[in-house]
């Protein structure tokens, strides 16, 4: 009996250590970085990626916490005679590129699909999972976005929805195991657009993050549809495993500054990965300020790792709250209407006594003690983003 207990204790220690090595330790906070897709699409190449790495440092983004430089779809070339994946002519030497990115104190991410083809119809990993994971590790890759895409062709041929689900589930497990077997810590990002309630099983297939929705675009309507649809998903996220409402569009030009503030605030409350999706090499100082606001990033990266949730929606005014490690709360008061509206915030309903201390995170201004109800005029599609304590 005692021996059995001892064996069980040792086994559980090993499994928790290995879960930590693969999960929490790897993405203890929501990953921060840059991804090529939103701005560059298929135009991403070696020179563009180097320029992003340099700009991430010179703009101060690295010092603000951004780490990953992630190459999305369209880097893939043909396989060689032994089946090894090669880069196409846009990426002459992936290992040299990884060395360059690492020399800047940053990490390099890459993209593939469990299907035969990726979304952009480049070579996928089907049947080559272990080989691809080994190639990534040899190149020095630190992050993989694994996009279902091509596998949907195979899934459509499955006899039942359950069989199709199992096909997808097994495909994600296969790459998880392949990545783990390399011994290199590689963040594992699942991308299957939030189907089949991925937040319920994402951690069990080794996902450090999983997309919860379809693709974002650089329009307020799409960003808001995605961001505000995340209510109720908070209990599925935590250190090592995060909901991912897709990459940022900040700085791409399709939204107003006010709307980009809403985008950043909502993503911070959602403990979402902060993956900039603009061209860092040409961004304006205003975009740098949006992406590097220390108070907003501190909310996103809060040590407790507890995702926030919606606490009220009255017409176009929504209040979202995220509990933070120091006992304070991040409070986002959002106006989804295109014109300015006066909102009345009742902090008692948010669990505070009648007066609270608040800091306006976008103004960088301590508001001191504010009494409840707090009346504030919110700009159209805008936000008042506060850190509130008793
Ligand atoms: C899908 C993903 C996007 C991007 C493209 C690349 O649409 O959801 O984020 O990776 O594929 O082809």
């Amino acid at each position: 009996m005692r021996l059995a207990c001892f064996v069980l204790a040792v086994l559980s220690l090993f499994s928790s250590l290995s879960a930590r090595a693969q999960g929490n330790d790897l993405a203890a906070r929501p990953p921060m970085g840059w991804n090529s897709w939103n701005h560059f699409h298929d135009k991403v190449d070696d020179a563009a990626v180097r320029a992003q790495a340099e700009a991430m440092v010179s703009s101060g983004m690295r010092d603000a916490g951004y780490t990953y430089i992630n190459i999305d779809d369209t880097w893939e070339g043909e396989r060689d005679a032994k089946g090894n994946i090669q880069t196409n002519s846009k990426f002459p030497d992936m290992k040299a590129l990884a060395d360059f990115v690492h020399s800047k104190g940053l990490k390099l991410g890459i993209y593939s699909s469990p299907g035969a083809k990726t979304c952009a119809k480049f070579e996928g990993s089907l049947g080559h999972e272990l080989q691809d994971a080994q190639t990534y590790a040899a190149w020095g890759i630190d992050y993989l976005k694994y996009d279902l895409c091509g596998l949907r062709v195979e899934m459509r041929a499955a006899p039942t929805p359950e069989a199709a689900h199992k096909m997808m589930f097994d495909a994600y497990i296969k790459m998880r195991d392949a990545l783990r077997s390399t011994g290199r810590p590689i963040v594992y990002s699942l991308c299957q657009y939030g189907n089949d309630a991925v937040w319920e099983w994402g951690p069990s297939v080794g996902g450090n993050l999983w997309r919860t929705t379809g693709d974002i675009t650089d329009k307020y309507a799409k960003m808001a549809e995605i961001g505000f649809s995340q209510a109720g998903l908070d209990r599925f996220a935590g250190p090592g495993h995060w909901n991912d409402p897709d990459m940022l569009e900040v700085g791409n030009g399709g939204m107003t500054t006010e709307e980009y503030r809403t985008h950043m605030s909502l993503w911070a409350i959602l403990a979402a990965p902060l993956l900039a999706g603009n061209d860092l090499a040409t961004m304006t100082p205003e975009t740098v300020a949006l992406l590097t606001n220390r108070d907003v990033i501190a909310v996103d990266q809060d040590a407790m790792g507890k995702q926030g949730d919606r606490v009220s929606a009255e017409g176009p005014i929504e209040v979202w709250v995220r509990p933070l490690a120091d006992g304070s709360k991040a409070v986002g008061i959002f106006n989804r209407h295109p014109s300015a509206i006066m909102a009345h915030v009742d902090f008692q309903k948010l669990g505070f006594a009648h007066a609270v201390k608040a800091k306006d995170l976008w103004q960088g201004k301590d508001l001191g003690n504010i009494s409840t109800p707090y009346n504030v005029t919110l700009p159209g599609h805008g936000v008042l983003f506060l850190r509130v304590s008793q």
Side-chain angles (χ1 to χ4, degrees), residues 299-327:
V299 171
D300 183 77
Q301 298 286 298
D302 184 71
M304 189 157 68
K306 177 93 189 74
Q307 181 174 330
D309 199 9
R310 177 164 54 210
V311 294
S312 73
E314 287 173 22
I317 304 295
E318 296 199 12
V319 179
W320 289 63
V321 176
R322 176 173 176 182
L324 302 169
D326 66 357

Side-chain angles (χ1 to χ4, degrees), residues 199 210 233-243 270-271 304-307:
W199 38 87
W210 47 82
L233 293 186
D234 50 313
R235 68 194 169 92
F236 300 103
H241 52 97
W242 307 100
N243 290 310
L270 294 171
M304 189 157 68
K306 177 93 189 74
Q307 181 174 330

Side-chain angles (χ1 to χ4, degrees), residues 49-58 61-63 66-67 69 96-107:
V49 172
R50 285 173 191 254
Q52 303 309 304
E54 277 170 345
M56 190 174 273
V57 177
S58 62
M61 281 178 71
R62 181 188 64 183
D63 293 342
Y66 292 84
T67 305
I69 294 281
L97 181 55
D99 290 346
F100 177 80
V101 169
H102 292 153
S103 77
K104 302 281 167 198
L106 300 170
K107 294 184 172 179

Side-chain angles (χ1 to χ4, degrees), residues 1-11:
M1 184 64 189
R2 262 206 214 147
L3 181 67
C5 286
F6 176 73
V7 170
L8 275 179
V10 170
L11 282 178

Side-chain angles (χ1 to χ4, degrees), residues 37 72-73 111 119-120 145 147 149 191 193 211 215 246-247:
W37 189 252
D72 208 281
D73 205 353
Y111 165 102
C119 279
K145 172 174 170 184
D147 186 353
C149 244
C191 176
Y193 337 112
R211 281 271 298 279
D215 289 9
D246 208 358
M247 303 162 300

Side-chain angles (χ1 to χ4, degrees), residues 3 14 40 99 101 114 130 228 237 249 267 304 310 329 368:
L3 181 67
F14 273 123
F40 288 91
D99 290 346
V101 169
L130 186 56
F228 291 113
E249 291 283 8
W267 264 235
M304 189 157 68
R310 177 164 54 210
K329 290 179 179 171

